[in-house]
Amino acid sequence: MLNGKKILLVISGGIAAYKSLELIRLIRKNGGDVKCILTQGGAQFVTPLSVASLSENPVYTDLWSLKDETEMGHIRLSRDCDLIIIAPTSANMMAKMAHGMAGDLASTTLLASNKPIMVFPAMNPQMWENAATQDNIKTLAARGIKIISPATGDMACGEVGKGRLPEATEMLESLITHFQNNKPLAGLRAIVTSGPTFEPIDPVRFVGNRSSGKQGHAIARALSDMGASVTLVSGPTSLKDPDDIKTIRVETTAQMLEFCQKSLPADIAVCAAAVADWAPEQYASSKIKKGNDDKLSLSFTQNPDILKTLSTPSSSRPALVVGFAAETEHLLDNAKAKLTKKGCDWVVANLVSADNPAFNVDENQVYFVTSKTVEEWPKSSKDDIARQLVERIAKHFANKAFKIAAE
Ligand code: PMT
C-alpha cells in the first residue's frame, strides 16, 4: 500500500518514541522505505541501533557528522523522500518548527524541506493545552503542515487527557490516506515512451542502443502514483512491467509510434525513450553470412520522429509534451534547438559523458529546459528525477486549472 514510497521519519524526544519502532516495521511491511532522524531527545528513549536495524537504513543524528553530511547531506535528506513525518513530535520540536529554528539536524532538515510534512504531537495534556503550543500548532497548520491530533487517555506521567501518540497502526493509516488523497493528476491520461528501439538487420541482428528503460519506467510510475492513467510504450528492456500500468512492449520505432498514436487522446506525453533515428533500409530475411568480402555495407533510412509527431499541433496533441535530449556535446544549445525543432513544451537534457553515463545507470544529472528557462537539477536517482518532473507536471496542470477557474 506504500509501494516504493520514501518516508523520512523524525523521532523526537518523548516516552511514546517506542511506538515509532513499530511504525518503522509497519511502513516496511507495507512496501515503504523509511530513513530516520533521531533527535538527541529521541535517543533518550530509543536507540540508534534499534532504529537502524528495523529500517535497514543508516540513522541520522548529527548535523555536524562529517560522514553523514558527505554521504547524504541534510539538504538531500530533506528532498530524497515523498513525505516527512515526525512521530512523536515534542512540544519543543513544534516550537522550533514554528519559529524557523535550525540548530540541529532535525530542525535544519525540516526548514530545508520542500516535501509534505505530517506531525504526530505527543506530550503531557497541560503542555498540549498551553497557549504557546496551541499558537504553534495554528502557525504550522497555516503553513500547510498536516497536524494529526493526539489521542485522549492515560498518560505515562499518570495524568489523563489529550496528548497520547496514536498507535502505530493508526499512524500508518494516516500515511496511507495521505498517499491515496495526494493524486493531483487524477483524471488525466499520459503516454510515456521508455527504453531503446531495436531495428532489425536480419533475424538475429539489430541496431539498438544502451537505454535500459529505468528513466522512462520511473516516470510512468511517478505519473501513476499521482493519479494519472498511464500507457507506457516500452522498447525492449529487461525491466518488469510496472504494476497497474498499461504497458505495451514494442521493438521498432515504427511500432513505438503506432502504439503512441493508438494511445491518443492523452493530456500528457513524456518521450524518454532512446529511439533509433535510423533503420536499415533492407531487412535480410535470413541471417547474413560472412562472404569473401571483409566489409559489409548497410544503408539506412530515417525513422519517423515520435516526439515531433506527438508535438505537432492538432486536435489530438497532448496539452503537455515533454521530450528528452541525450547529447555528448553542446548540451544546452542542442536541447534548446530540439525544443524548437520538435515543437515540444519542455526538454529534459542529459549530457552523456564518462562522469554521467546517463544510459543504463541508476543516477543521472539533468537540465530542465523550457522556452524561457534552464534549470540545473542536481545529480540524483532516476526515481527522484521522475518525481521532480511529475511534480512540475502537476503544478503546470494546477496553474492551468486555476487560470481557467479565474477566467
Ligand atoms: O533508459 P535509461 O537507461 O534509464 O536512460 C535514460 C536515457 C538516457 C535514455 C534518457 O534520459 C534520455 O535521454 N532519453 C532520450 C534519448 C534520446 O534518444 O535522445 P535524443 O536526443 O536522440 O532524442 C530527443 C527526443 O526525441 C527524445 O525525447 C526521444 O525520445 C525523441 N525521439 C528521437 C528520435 C525519434 N525518431 N523519435 C523520437 O521521439
Side-chain angles (χ1 to χ4, degrees):
M1 271 180 291
L2 292 174
N3 286 344
K5 291 284 181 274
K6 291 184 180 184
I7 291 155
L8 178 66
L9 167 63
V10 178
I11 305 171
S12 67
I15 183 72
Y18 73 92
K19 291 184 184 171
S20 62
L21 297 180
E22 174 64 359
L23 179 59
I24 295 171
R25 199 186 65 78
L26 290 176
I27 291 172
R28 300 214 47 230
K29 193 175 162 212
N30 282 273
D33 176 71
V34 56
K35 286 198 176 77
C36 300
I37 295 179
L38 190 57
T39 67
Q40 249 189 358
Q44 302 298 317
F45 298 93
V46 292
T47 68
L49 187 60
S50 33
V51 174
S53 308
L54 285 165
S55 67
E56 288 191 46
N57 269 318
V59 180
Y60 301 90
T61 54
D62 184 6
L63 180 58
W64 311 112
S65 157
L66 189 57
K67 180 172 168 283
D68 289 353
E69 279 297 300
T70 316
E71 284 175 4
M72 183 55 145
H74 63 278
I75 301 291
R76 211 169 125 209
L77 199 54
S78 74
R79 309 286 162 84
D80 191 29
C81 60
D82 300 299
L83 173 69
I84 301 181
I85 59 174
I86 313 167
T89 315
S90 63
N92 180 42
M93 175 58 76
M94 273 197 297
K96 283 187 191 172
M97 290 168 74
H99 293 92
M101 294 173 74
D104 57 16
L105 180 62
S107 53
T108 308
T109 304
L110 291 165
L111 197 62
S113 171
N114 58 359
K115 299 294 173 188
I117 300 176
M118 186 183 281
V119 304
F120 292 90
M123 63 199 74
N124 167 277
Q126 290 303 324
M127 288 169 79
W128 171 255
E129 296 300 342
N130 192 294
T133 305
Q134 290 301 315
D135 282 353
N136 290 337
I137 288 168
K138 279 187 205 126
T139 305
L140 296 176
R143 290 183 196 148
I145 290 175
K146 178 96 180 147
I147 316 278
I148 308 290
S149 269
T152 303
D154 292 335
M155 306 296 296
C157 57
E159 293 183 12
V160 179
K162 195 167 181 176
R164 277 173 65 89
L165 185 67
E167 297 307 317
T169 47
E170 294 166 310
M171 291 194 272
L172 177 74
E173 245 175 70
S174 301
L175 303 195
I176 292 172
T177 307
H178 164 84
F179 286 115
Q180 280 168 348
N181 292 342
N182 190 21
K183 304 263 181 230
L185 296 178
L188 297 182
R189 279 171 295 189
I191 301 171
V192 179
T193 70
S194 182
T197 57
F198 287 177
E199 304 297 340
I201 297 170
D202 68 16
V204 297
R205 301 183 179 95
F206 61 85
V207 178
N209 62 68
R210 298 176 199 280
S211 167
S212 62
K214 289 179 184 193
Q215 185 64 82
H217 280 52
I219 293 168
R221 284 194 304 271
L223 283 163
S224 171
D225 280 352
M226 288 237 197
S229 159
V230 181
T231 303
L232 174 63
V233 186
S234 171
T237 78
S238 58
L239 301 179
K240 110 181 205 313
D241 294 350
D243 291 340
D244 304 327
I245 293 179
K246 180 179 174 191
T247 305
I248 301 169
R249 287 186 170 254
V250 299
E251 185 163 287
T252 64
T253 303
Q255 290 165 354
M256 191 173 266
L257 174 63
E258 180 192 338
F259 283 99
C260 283
Q261 287 180 312
K262 279 189 177 156
S263 306
L264 291 169
D267 306 281
I268 303 157
V270 182
C271 295
V275 180
D277 287 317
W278 304 89
E281 203 161 24
Q282 304 246 304
Y283 173 72
S285 55
S286 50
K287 186 181 165 193
I288 300 171
K289 294 282 185 201
K290 265 194 271 183
N292 293 332
D293 200 347
D294 59 1
K295 283 188 187 152
L296 172 70
S297 299
L298 293 172
S299 54
F300 290 84
T301 51
Q302 217 175 80
N303 270 330
D305 194 305
I306 301 166
L307 176 61
K308 192 170 176 184
T309 308
L310 292 177
S311 301
T312 303
S314 77
S315 56
S316 62
R317 184 196 193 275
L320 183 68
V321 184
V322 185
F324 270 67
E327 305 290 342
T328 51
E329 55 190 357
H330 309 302
L331 176 65
L332 292 178
D333 287 346
N334 284 326
K336 285 179 201 161
K338 271 183 185 155
L339 189 75
T340 317
K341 205 169 142 205
K342 304 212 182 200
C344 56
D345 302 293
W346 301 342
V347 163
V348 179
N350 36 206
L351 187 68
V352 182
S353 66
D355 284 348
N356 190 65
F359 285 75
N360 197 18
V361 285
D362 291 329
E363 288 203 322
N364 198 4
Q365 197 269 307
V366 300
Y367 292 81
F368 177 75
V369 182
T370 71
S371 60
K372 295 195 182 91
T373 56
V374 173
E375 280 174 33
E376 183 177 357
W377 289 0
K379 191 165 196 160
S380 47
S381 71
K382 286 184 177 172
D383 282 342
D384 283 338
I385 293 171
R387 263 191 290 269
Q388 204 168 333
L389 177 63
V390 171
E391 274 166 21
R392 278 305 169 96
I393 292 174
K395 211 177 258 179
H396 172 83
F397 280 95
N399 287 344
K400 232 168 114 170
F402 176 74
K403 271 190 202 143
I404 292 167
E407 271 165 17

